[in-house]
């Protein structure tokens, strides 16, 4: 978030959130419609972006999908409107969370909003 209180980080197969400026971190386990745990197969997270308030967040996975959160990263929903899995590389977001840009490795730039 703009004030640094809400933070989200991606690391390999995990998404981590903090609600106290990074003092402590919680590993995300709620992925709808899929519940993903290390036993069921890990994601390959590449990038995460958030709105200025930290409520709206988007994460992208390599060889996978775009995922969005509207509860400060507590739960995530897969976006399927991009036409299937892609090798997502990076994502950026406007301060209000409305406009988002995602880049496919060696591919196209996708813009929402």
């Amino acid at each position: 978030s703009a004030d640094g209180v809400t933070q989200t980080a991606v690391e390999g197969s995990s998404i981590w959130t903090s609600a106290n400026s990074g003092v402590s971190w919680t590993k995300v386990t709620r992925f709808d419609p899929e519940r993903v745990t290390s036993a069921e197969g890990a994601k390959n997270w590449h990038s995460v972006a958030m709105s200025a308030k930290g409520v709206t967040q988007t994460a992208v996975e390599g060889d996978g999908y775009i995922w969005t959160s509207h509860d400060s990263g507590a739960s995530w929903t897969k976006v399927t409107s991009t036409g299937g899995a892609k090798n997502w590389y990076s994502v950026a977001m406007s301060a209000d969370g409305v406009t988002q840009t995602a880049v496919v490795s060696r591919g196209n730039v996708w813009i929402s909003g």
Side-chain angles (χ1 to χ4, degrees):
S1 59
D3 62 7
V5 174
T6 302
Q7 297 184 28
T8 300
V10 294
E11 168 272 321
S13 62
S14 301
I15 295 179
W16 295 84
T17 61
S18 174
N20 57 11
S21 301
V23 173
S24 61
W25 292 86
T26 303
K27 185 176 180 179
V28 175
T29 58
R30 287 186 54 209
F31 294 88
D32 300 319
E34 302 173 359
R35 184 172 171 87
V36 178
T37 66
S38 58
E40 295 169 336
K43 301 294 183 192
N44 180 21
W45 300 110
H46 280 206
S47 180
V48 64
M50 72 173 60
S51 63
K53 293 183 179 180
V55 175
T56 302
Q57 300 186 16
T58 298
V60 296
E61 57 175 319
D63 299 319
Y65 291 89
I66 294 175
W67 294 74
T68 59
S69 173
H70 299 286
D71 57 8
S72 300
S75 63
W76 295 81
T77 302
K78 180 169 58 175
V79 176
T80 58
S81 60
T82 59
K86 296 180 179 11
N87 189 17
W88 297 104
Y89 183 73
S90 186
V91 63
M93 183 180 300
S94 62
D96 62 7
V98 173
T99 303
Q100 300 178 38
T101 304
V103 178
V104 176
S105 181
R106 298 184 185 102
N108 296 325
V109 175
W110 293 67
I111 301 172
S112 73

